[in-house]
Amino acid sequence: MTPRRPPPRDNRLLLAMPYHQLIGKAADAGFGVWSLWDPRAPEADLLPEVAEASRELLHAGFADPAGLRSLVARTARRHGIGTVLHCGGGPSLLPVAEEAWRLGLSPNPPDVFRRLGSVGEPDAPGPRLTVQTLTVDGCHQVVGTAAHRVSDPPGRTLTGYLCPAPLSDRQEAAVGALVRRVLHTSGYRFGPAHTEVALTPEGPRVVRCRPRFGPDRIPLLIQVATAFDCEAALFGALLGDLPQALPARQYAEIGFFRLPEGRLLTFAGTEDIAVTPWVRGARFPYAVRDLIPPATDPRSRRAYVVVEGGSPECTGERLRQARADLVTDIRPEAETHETHEIHEIHEQHGSPLGQHGSSWEQHGSS
């Protein structure tokens, strides 16, 4: 580990599209975070958590590149921002990257993001992996590889991830070399990246590569499997620490709760899941009468459980148990109007039929 240098410009970061867990890791490292989000984004319902974790939540229209650049520049000047990082994707990525580079607040030139955005074969056949890397000074380190779990045909819906991916030594070396080559060719200098890889009959192929942490709490999955916190390591790297990824010491698996689309009337079992010793993280962000999105909507993956175990078979069985512990009553929206009236009648007489609490979330430590 190299000696830590003083935090850049009084520890001040501007993060575009951060999630609240990442902001918490920055705060733990001593950084103050100004967050930038579009309140019209699909993830806008999560912004109260982001606002609470940030020194300030700035609103911007991501479809207005000129306005976005102007806001980045004003914020950097007003608050003495030392580093600007984009934590998401979409139309705001390039304007933020361009302005950050112009201001000298990003180690990555904008062309890097254009190159990475054009990489990949979306239709490559074969099982899929997500490879999480962390780059510091152009050195690309694989910190975790997760295999995609999918439902049976015909839907083939993503249902979770297993880390480490069960690969042979030869496959693991080939996948790592491929991902590092893509990042090196792009000129990527600093930050996280997650690369989706297809294991085709001819060898691994890149499906897409995105300069951010993997979705669906993949960083938490890697931390449970390896004891390496890649989110915290990102901010340590800004302070001069060189990240040292660790080999997996066990298997970890994240599984999404497979909930049908509709209106949530009642639920039970979250308390039992929370005290299960091999559960290392879980989230059920719904309250009674919330609308549950369809399984094809990425928002459906916000409800999950993370388990640990000594083998993929073990984690698979533990996921099955955790999913069975969660009991829900979800009805199609058309069927809930009459039920809603019944709820109101019972509540007037002091006998509510279901829970009315807020979301439940628990994360175990490594």
Side-chain angles (χ1 to χ4, degrees), residues 14 18 25 47 78 101 156 206-207 228 243 248 253 265 290 347 349:
L14 175 60
K25 301 291 178 67
L47 294 190
R78 183 177 303 159
W101 179 254
R156 306 294 290 176
V206 170
V207 176
F228 178 72
E253 189 164 352
L265 300 185
D290 280 354
E347 287 171 1
H349 291 83

Side-chain angles (χ1 to χ4, degrees), residues 72-314:
V72 169
R74 291 199 312 272
T75 303
R77 288 194 301 267
R78 183 177 303 159
H79 300 292
I81 298 296
T83 303
V84 177
L85 298 175
H86 201 294
C87 308
S92 63
L93 176 57
L94 276 176
V96 170
E98 289 168 348
E99 191 62 25
W101 179 254
R102 187 187 71 82
L103 296 169
L105 302 179
S106 170
N108 294 304
D111 281 347
V112 166
F113 303 105
R114 295 187 179 91
R115 296 185 194 108
L116 289 177
S118 65
V119 167
E121 304 174 47
D123 298 323
R128 299 289 176 89
L129 311 171
T130 289
V131 182
Q132 182 68 62
T133 53
L134 192 57
T135 297
V136 178
D137 294 331
C139 180
H140 317 293
Q141 188 171 181
V142 174
V143 300
T145 301
H148 292 203
R149 298 292 210 187
V150 295
S151 60
D152 294 331
R156 306 294 290 176
T157 303
L158 181 66
T159 62
Y161 303 89
L162 172 70
C163 180
L167 303 175
S168 68
D169 291 345
R170 184 175 181 178
Q171 286 177 314
E172 186 174 1
V175 168
L178 173 65
V179 170
R180 285 190 290 267
R181 184 164 62 249
V182 167
L183 293 170
H184 176 75
T185 301
S186 74
Y188 197 49
R189 297 291 304 165
F190 181 87
H194 74 93
T195 306
E196 189 173 334
V197 174
L199 298 178
T200 76
E202 295 77 28
R205 301 280 184 83
V206 170
V207 176
R208 61 183 59 85
C209 183
R210 299 293 181 259
R212 55 184 180 270
F213 284 113
D216 306 325
R217 297 306 293 139
I218 284 178
L220 172 63
L221 186 70
I222 293 170
Q223 184 178 357
V224 173
T226 69
F228 178 72
D229 187 340
C230 55
E231 293 169 320
L234 170 68
F235 301 107
L238 286 173
L239 298 174
D241 291 348
L242 293 178
Q244 297 293 331
L246 300 172
R249 58 181 184 174
Q250 63 181 353
Y251 284 93
E253 189 164 352
I254 184 169
F256 312 125
F257 289 113
R258 303 175 189 175
L259 305 175
E261 181 181 6
R263 187 71 63 178
L264 178 65
L265 300 185
T266 63
F267 67 92
T270 56
E271 297 87 354
D272 293 335
I273 296 171
V275 298
T276 303
W278 34 258
V279 168
R280 298 297 302 278
R283 190 167 191 253
F284 188 79
Y286 303 116
V288 166
R289 296 182 187 163
D290 280 354
L291 193 61
I292 307 300
T296 54
D297 188 324
R299 291 176 300 171
S300 70
R301 304 202 288 269
R302 294 179 186 175
Y304 62 79
V305 59
V306 178
V307 302
E308 62 185 3
S311 68
E313 293 76 20
C314 178

